[in-house]
Amino acid sequence: MHTSDSEDQAMLREIVRGIVASHTDAAERNRIEQSPHGFDLSVEEALGQLELHSAVVDGIASLTTVACVFEELGRSAVATPFTRGLLAFVFLAAARGSDSAIDLLEQRGPRIALGRRRIGENGSPSETVELGWADVADHALVYSTVGGPLLELFPLDEAEYEPLESFDTERTSRVLLEPGVGTALDGTTLSIASGVMSVNLLSAAGLIGLAQGATELTVNYVSQRQQFGQAIGKFQSVQHALADVSIRTTGARLGVYEALWLLEHDKPVDRLSAIAVYQATVASMEATHAAVQFHGGIGHTIDYGLHHYYRRAKAEGIRLGGRLEALQRVAVEIRATPDPVVLRHLPPRVVLEDVAR
Amino acid sequence: LLFTRDENEVPVDFGLAPAEAEYLESMQRFFDTWFPEKDGLPFGEGVSGHSPSGAYLDDEFHAWIQLEHHYNERLSDAGFRGADWPVEYGGGGRSSLDQWLLMEEQCYRHLPNGDITIRSVSRALMQFGSDAQKRELLPLILRGEVLFSVAYTEPDAGSDLASLRTRAVRDGEDYLVTGQKIYTTFAQRATHIWLAVRTGTEESRHRGISVLIVPVDTPGVTIQNLPVQGGEKTNEVFFDGTRVPAANLVGNENEGWAAITAALAHERMQMHSDVTRLVEYLARWLRALPSDMEPGRQEWADRELASLAADLEVGRLLALQTVVLMDEGVTPISEAASAKIWLTELRLRLVSVALDLIAALGRDCTRDRDELARFEDAYLYAPVRRFAGGTNQVLRSVVAQRGLGLPRS
């Protein structure tokens, strides 16, 4: 077992950090948010050149490798259509086996936005879907588990958008995509479940990155900021609170990577996946709350840029369903397990095989 | 281009290697054969050193010591004791992960799991002890025939250990030791005391501390039980001009601080705990409840359990990370502190929540008396873990300064 990066993963992180380096400048980041597109075109292009989509489809890039990218983008609080498109490809790769899905993967060209049908009126799947960055996508991949698994692909060229006010820098729209009108892909309940888990865990990796980035900014700030004649980072009240944040983030991060690893190796992962998403949600909340608290007034100014972390952590958490929903899923998973055996060390283990998938 | 990786290079890996899985199975077979769980637990609830009755040196405790002695011999014969010690000291040369798997398994089965002598003191001894000390003591430690009790804390030197005052003065070939130690756990069963003494000036702090090995039957050593809630076997130990051979000095005079910190660091590494088993007990108890409860109660009980189980997973991963780093040659100071803080805080929260749940849902608690007693005992003992072996407040400073790089206060 080892939990650190491979050389490739470490290199990939370096590259991603280099690509988004301009985002460490708060003024530049604010300018991008206010721009018509809402994202940095040059960053988008540079990330595209990594050809991660192909690597995901060909099974060369592992889920944990993709998670490194999400974590690094989170660390810089970067919002970009690139991540939504990549999530769609990860979802499709997880739902492999369907001819139409494979056809689509082989084209690899389309920019895809990923969306989920929620429960609409009278309990049926909703007719509208919220999509991230739909204005720069040409297809939407929409999944639903309401009333049976459904996985559909829609062209977006003639779709009607209603742009939504976003809590953070993510651009979202509500799009009318009636169920059954798109091209149905053969998604089974299992493959859709794997797809959902993969994309949720990758988003959770982004949350971990946000927690880390906010904590790094804070450590830096409290080490410089002088009050009462000393750096405020010397006060135990500050140190201990940040220590707790860091411990939680480290633990949540390990959970996310372990769940991705288990998923990729076809091990039972439902419960750990729910736990990892829950812990990532909590960690990103605690880290960003501590960050704004220890920054004080400066952290609230638009010029400083911490607000990108604070807003995005909550907004991404909500997109994942929020902390309470995540905890509820953990509770459901525990109840669904025949015997309340908890994961004791590492797979492979006999008890694990007994846990109903 | 980026992703044409070497087949042999493994990215993040959370699996057990076949040899590790095999080792785990071999220990499970061993425990199933020799110390099976029948009529409750093989060692009762008192494994961590607390007996439900809280009695001192009573028959129950004597029986427990006998059983543990037998247990250590069996472990030693099977090569499980000192499995991760270097081969040159008679150990198995196994990895930290292997050792952690062993301790987790023991802990889960409520079996004694790597006492402080074999995990912590012996490691400092290997690093700082004289050849004669190592030759004499290490083989006996491996057999479980030498057991240390660690004597650092004094009435006025707790977390601020560098202020300790128990004095050792050189007198020919001996030291004369005078002073008092407190919370010297298991001294009444130990063969030796691992004693921190002041050999430098009063103001010398950590630069004037030495470590002495003192057999418990040395004249002038008085061990007095100190009853505590939870029944842990702890003591006050008095030294009254106690004569200890200078040959029993570990390392050089006034350089004992390094041995103490090394031993303490080993105490915190490979963290493991019986939290896992307690969460399982609670989950089983909740599951066995009748389904006709007041609406809503089941749901909030489920969510409390979910929150505990989610934090348990984090604890397991933090502990694992420490072990993995050790096998990669890193000394995981901040990581070990993190695992210790998390697991000990979780333990108290767990037993407290468990008692609340039993109170709220148990209806007739006497029917579930066993469960209630288990969590009540655990509740009394749980606070100790948060401050023993380095209090969590000091450890948070360690995480902040060594882990996050915040300035020293």
Side-chain angles (χ1 to χ4, degrees):
Chain A
M1 171 192 174
H2 63 106
T3 58
S4 43
D5 289 340
S6 68
E7 273 180 36
D8 278 354
Q9 289 172 332
M11 189 167 72
L12 182 61
R13 282 181 196 276
E14 276 301 312
I15 291 171
V16 174
R17 271 200 285 267
I19 291 173
V20 297
S22 63
H23 283 249
T24 54
D25 181 64
E28 173 67 2
R29 206 202 298 251
N30 289 340
R31 190 193 61 73
I32 293 165
E33 186 179 3
Q34 298 303 323
S35 70
H37 283 300
F39 65 93
D40 186 334
L41 275 168
S42 64
V43 164
E44 194 66 7
E45 264 174 41
L47 289 171
Q49 281 167 9
L50 293 175
E51 296 188 358
L52 261 172
H53 302 73
S54 324
V56 165
V57 173
D58 295 343
I60 302 174
S62 65
L63 282 174
T64 52
T65 298
V66 180
C68 295
V69 176
F70 276 82
E71 192 181 342
E72 290 309 318
L73 291 175
R75 200 183 208 133
S76 301
V78 171
T80 152
F82 171 81
T83 51
R84 297 295 133 187
L86 189 52
L87 285 180
F89 271 85
V90 168
F91 197 104
L92 273 179
R96 247 187 166 165
S98 123
D99 285 348
S100 43
I102 288 172
D103 281 351
L104 181 81
L105 292 180
E106 279 172 353
Q107 293 167 20
R108 273 179 218 164
R111 291 146 86 71
I112 309 180
L114 180 67
R116 167 169 70 112
R117 273 190 209 288
R118 293 168 189 274
I119 302 176
E121 283 169 30
N122 46 27
S124 53
S126 62
E127 296 198 336
T128 56
V129 177
E130 282 174 27
L131 293 177
W133 309 98
D135 53 335
V136 287
D138 46 33
H139 283 79
L141 181 69
V142 178
Y143 66 91
S144 167
T145 49
V146 185
L150 182 63
L151 188 59
E152 285 181 289
L153 187 71
F154 291 89
L156 285 177
D157 20 21
E158 289 177 19
E160 283 177 34
Y161 303 82
E162 181 197 341
L164 297 171
E165 281 280 338
S166 183
F167 185 69
D168 66 342
T169 41
E170 195 80 13
R171 296 278 172 103
T172 55
S173 332
R174 185 175 294 133
V175 188
L176 178 68
L177 299 168
E178 284 176 46
V181 173
T183 309
L185 308 178
D186 327 327
T188 62
T189 309
L190 187 67
S191 65
I192 289 188
S194 302
V196 172
M197 245 187 282
S198 309
V199 299
N200 283 355
L201 286 166
L202 290 173
S203 294
L207 285 179
I208 298 297
L210 283 162
Q212 290 170 332
T215 304
E216 281 159 16
L217 273 177
T218 309
V219 165
N220 208 17
Y221 179 76
V222 301
S223 302
Q224 312 288 330
R225 171 71 172 167
Q226 303 268 327
Q227 288 289 278
F228 305 103
Q230 65 170 29
I232 58 172
K234 285 187 179 178
F235 290 110
Q236 286 187 340
S237 54
V238 177
Q239 292 204 347
H240 291 190
L242 288 176
D244 281 335
V245 160
S246 135
I247 294 168
R248 189 175 274 284
T249 307
T250 304
R253 180 180 183 278
L254 290 166
V256 168
Y257 278 83
E258 183 176 33
L260 285 166
W261 187 88
L262 289 169
L263 187 61
E264 198 150 46
H265 289 79
D266 283 330
K267 306 274 185 199
V269 65
D270 297 31
R271 174 165 38 184
L272 189 68
S273 168
I275 287 175
V277 169
Y278 166 73
Q279 294 290 8
T281 315
V282 177
S284 63
M285 287 304 95
E286 291 194 356
T288 50
H289 293 182
V292 291
Q293 173 64 14
F294 294 132
H295 275 84
I298 189 87
H300 271 260
T301 65
I302 298 301
D303 282 353
Y304 186 81
L306 183 62
H307 61 95
H308 287 289
Y309 289 88
Y310 184 73
R311 289 186 291 145
R312 188 159 174 79
K314 191 68 188 174
E316 285 285 279
I318 290 170
R319 284 183 199 109
L320 271 168
R323 180 183 66 87
L324 294 175
E325 170 64 22
L327 184 61
Q328 177 64 19
R329 280 210 296 274
V330 178
V332 168
E333 286 303 331
I334 289 175
R335 200 145 261 282
T337 310
D339 189 50
V341 177
V342 287
L343 189 58
R344 280 161 56 200
H345 3 74
L346 287 167
R349 282 193 50 80
V350 183
V351 286
L352 269 174
E353 303 308 321
D354 296 340
V355 177
R357 170 124 191 181
Chain B
L1 170 91
L2 244 178
F3 305 102
T4 52
R5 69 164 177 258
D6 183 348
E7 281 297 308
N8 296 320
E9 196 198 337
V10 187
V12 176
D13 172 13
F14 282 92
L16 284 185
E20 291 160 347
E22 205 173 288
Y23 185 56
L24 181 60
E25 273 168 37
S26 78
M27 71 182 74
Q28 286 169 337
R29 274 198 306 274
F30 171 81
F31 291 127
D32 285 342
T33 307
W34 292 102
F35 301 96
E37 291 190 20
K38 53 183 181 196
D39 305 330
L41 301 162
F43 278 74
E45 300 283 343
V47 148
S48 306
H50 75 298
S51 84
S53 68
Y56 172 60
L57 287 183
D58 54 12
D59 290 346
E60 179 193 19
F61 189 54
H62 273 300
W64 191 88
I65 290 174
Q66 291 296 316
L67 188 57
E68 193 192 30
H69 191 71
H70 163 69
Y71 170 76
N72 281 337
E73 275 182 348
R74 280 261 175 258
L75 277 182
S76 197
D77 290 344
F80 288 121
R81 212 173 141 77
D84 67 335
W85 277 22
V87 176
E88 59 173 307
Y89 296 123
R94 284 191 169 270
S95 67
S96 291
L97 179 58
D98 282 345
Q99 176 66 17
W100 184 81
L101 290 171
L102 174 67
M103 292 195 300
E104 277 288 314
E105 196 61 31
Q106 291 169 324
C107 204
Y108 184 76
R109 292 166 184 256
H110 282 230
L111 292 163
N113 52 349
D115 54 74
I116 207 167
T117 308
I118 196 143
R119 283 175 55 207
S120 158
V121 170
S122 62
R123 291 298 183 153
L125 199 59
M126 286 174 203
Q127 200 178 342
F128 299 98
S130 68
D131 286 343
Q133 287 166 350
K134 287 192 264 193
R135 230 182 1 256
E136 183 200 339
L137 294 170
L138 290 176
L140 295 171
I141 289 174
L142 212 49
R143 298 289 304 165
E145 286 166 20
V146 160
L147 290 173
F148 276 89
S149 176
V150 173
Y152 299 146
T153 305
E154 298 177 2
D156 291 321
S159 291
D160 182 15
L161 192 57
S163 68
L164 66 86
R165 291 204 296 242
T166 293
R167 180 115 218 129
V169 181
R170 188 72 187 245
D171 181 40
E173 289 304 299
D174 300 320
Y175 282 98
L176 295 177
V177 181
T178 305
Q180 184 200 341
K181 295 288 174 180
I182 195 167
Y183 312 124
T184 317
T185 301
F186 271 140
Q188 67 274 68
R189 140 196 108 163
T191 57
H192 294 72
I193 294 172
W194 178 262
L195 180 67
V197 290
R198 169 85 40 215
T199 40
T201 62
E202 264 179 45
E203 299 77 32
S204 57
R205 305 266 312 156
H206 60 273
R207 286 181 299 277
I209 289 172
S210 303
V211 171
L212 290 172
I213 294 170
V214 185
V216 286
D217 55 4
T218 307
V221 175
T222 308
I223 298 170
Q224 203 173 315
N225 177 44
L226 181 61
V228 291
Q229 66 169 0
E232 193 187 18
K233 302 292 180 184
T234 199
N235 306 275
E236 292 174 280
V237 181
F238 300 90
F239 300 89
D240 182 15
T242 310
R243 192 167 282 278
V244 180
N248 289 15
L249 178 71
V250 178
N252 296 324
E253 192 176 276
N254 293 331
E255 291 176 13
W257 191 251
I260 291 170
T261 48
L264 274 171
H266 276 287
E267 206 177 318
R268 284 196 290 272
M269 285 174 211
Q270 298 172 321
M271 271 300 294
H272 53 285
S273 79
D274 53 354
V275 180
T276 306
R277 193 63 181 265
L278 289 171
V279 170
E280 277 197 6
Y281 283 140
L282 180 61
R284 289 212 172 91
W285 187 83
L286 286 172
R287 191 154 289 198
L289 285 173
S291 55
D292 60 345
M293 274 189 297
E294 207 181 302
R297 292 201 167 217
Q298 185 74 63
E299 285 68 25
W300 58 246
D302 279 354
R303 274 194 288 276
E304 288 286 344
L305 178 66
S307 155
L308 292 168
D311 283 357
L312 174 64
E313 296 291 356
V314 164
R316 178 182 62 86
L317 286 164
L318 289 172
L320 255 172
Q321 182 195 30
T322 307
V323 175
V324 169
L325 287 172
M326 286 168 78
D327 282 337
E328 288 171 0
V330 178
T331 306
I333 302 293
S334 158
E335 293 83 355
S338 299
K340 193 266 184 185
I341 293 167
W342 185 274
L343 281 167
T344 56
E345 298 289 348
L346 174 60
R347 192 175 202 277
L348 181 55
R349 183 164 78 86
L350 160 67
V351 291
S352 181
V353 167
L355 288 173
D356 286 342
L357 284 171
I358 292 168
L361 305 176
R363 298 181 182 181
D364 176 8
C365 281
T366 54
R367 191 187 55 193
D368 299 301
R369 190 59 219 171
D370 289 349
E371 305 295 343
L372 194 57
R374 170 170 294 139
F375 285 108
E376 280 176 350
D377 287 343
Y379 186 71
L380 295 180
Y381 186 65
V384 174
R385 307 271 180 101
R386 297 199 302 169
F387 56 76
T391 191
N392 286 359
Q393 274 62 42
V394 170
L395 295 183
R396 283 188 177 92
S397 296
V398 169
V399 174
Q401 290 163 18
R402 301 190 69 149
L404 289 172
L406 283 165
R408 288 183 158 274
S409 24

